[in-house]
Amino acid sequence: MILPGATLGMLGGGQLGRMFAFRSHEMGYRVVVLEPDPHSPAGAVADEHIVARYDDEAALRELASKSAVVTTEFENVPAPALALLETLTRVTPPPSAVAVAQDRIAEKTHLQNAGFPTADFAAVGSSSEAASAARRLGGRCILKTARLGYDGKGQAPVSNADEAVQAYAAMGGVPCILEEMLTLERELSVVLARGADGNMAVFPVGENVHRGGILHSTVVPAAINEELSADAQGLAERVADSLAYVGVLGVELFVANKGQLYVNEIAPRPHNSGHYTIDACATDQFEQQVRAACGLPLGDTRLVSPVAMINLLGDLWAEGEPAWGKALAEPGLRLHLYGKAEPRPGRKMGHLTVLAASPGEALQRAERAYAALGGRQ
Ligand code: ADP
Ligand code: MG
């Protein structure tokens, strides 16, 4: 066990690293962040910030020498960086799991080989493969770059072979995946923590609404029956086992075709849809990340109150600083801002959560606060 007082290493300086640092500090750990941006959300609150690229070998060696364990908040860490760190110190999650999660072809192939339900898909590495994949899948599809896509970036809907060829060229001819477009009944997610001993602690299922490919809201409990909820959690647990995972894992699920579950994608880190746990669970996802990384017992994932979370994107700043006072007047509301200086459209600047007597009321009040900030309904 890595005990309080030790220093924890974080690869990546975004908001997830920032919330990890907050929780690490509460538990008595020090945090050292490696992140190229000198003004990052996590770098600003860490005890130490190594400003360097993720592939800077000297910087990685410095991080390892200072850290009892290194974890990440970012799936796009180059695989050789994690492999090097693993020779020098303890690393969670396993680099092999990060390698699967950072490439949509490896991810979907792993899921399919392990017997998990996914949307039908094909890897696309050339224009002719784009055309043949579109013909085989038929109907409406979605082309996604295999790597580096997030928040709906690097995706295009296509409905025939010509459009698939055009979209593939527009992506710059990089490796892609073509997926059948499912008619979604709901989007769910499950966040869990898994220890090195295989023990797991699973958070309640979140129900997510995306707008333009970006998460807008998460509500918990999800408006689904107990059977589907248990199935979703069980599926996420089996996915974690299949990767021999250690750490916090986010599993995005689709419900389509009359209540069937499909695995959409996995995140080898705390997940945006798990931010509700900070205010509404006995232990939150960032504390679980600390516990799993340090080999401590995992915490209680019990939901203390129905909750809704809404993301605050840079668009809210279009007419200047949002009216925080109005939102904060909402009872049960908590505001989380990530300390980003530049509010660009689509950029995640923060989130708010509202606790209420029922999930419906929590969402209604969260949306009201969001509208008071200038958010569109
Ligand atoms: P990202 O890494 O950007 O989150 P996702 O694969 O999760 O990429 O896609 C973002 C959103 O686009 C999903 O949450 C969902 O709303 C929609 N989407 C993605 N793939 C499909 C699909 N095969 N069928 C229907 N909708 C999809
Ligand atoms: Mg996603």
Side-chain angles (χ1 to χ4, degrees), residues 196-223:
D197 57 4
N199 258 336
M200 280 190 257
V202 187
F203 286 106
V205 179
E207 180 160 358
N208 302 322
V209 171
H210 290 79
R211 288 184 178 173
I214 307 180
L215 182 66
H216 169 65
S217 62
T218 301
V219 176
V220 187

Side-chain angles (χ1 to χ4, degrees), residues 315-339:
D315 313 62
L316 277 181
W317 276 253
E319 267 129 52
E321 196 67 19
W324 302 119
K326 286 190 189 163
L328 288 163
E330 185 69 47
L333 181 138
R334 297 208 64 219
L335 177 65
H336 300 255
L337 291 175
Y338 308 146

Side-chain angles (χ1 to χ4, degrees), residues 349-371:
M349 302 296 290
H351 68 270
L352 58 82
T353 45
V354 174
L355 306 184
S358 72
E361 187 193 333
L363 181 61
Q364 198 182 20
R365 294 190 12 216
E367 290 285 9
R368 188 164 71 199
Y370 175 69

Side-chain angles (χ1 to χ4, degrees), residues 104 210 213 252 264-265 271:
R104 295 187 197 275
H210 290 79
E252 297 180 11
N264 172 33
E265 62 170 350
H271 194 262

Side-chain angles (χ1 to χ4, degrees), residues 104 119 142 144 149-153 155 179-184 187 210 213 252 254 264-265:
R104 295 187 197 275
I142 178 162
K144 304 179 181 178
Y150 68 98
D151 288 347
K153 292 187 181 67
Q155 301 193 2
E179 289 178 21
E180 71 172 307
M181 181 83 86
L182 295 167
T183 303
L184 304 183
E187 293 197 61
H210 290 79
E252 297 180 11
F254 293 148
N264 172 33
E265 62 170 350

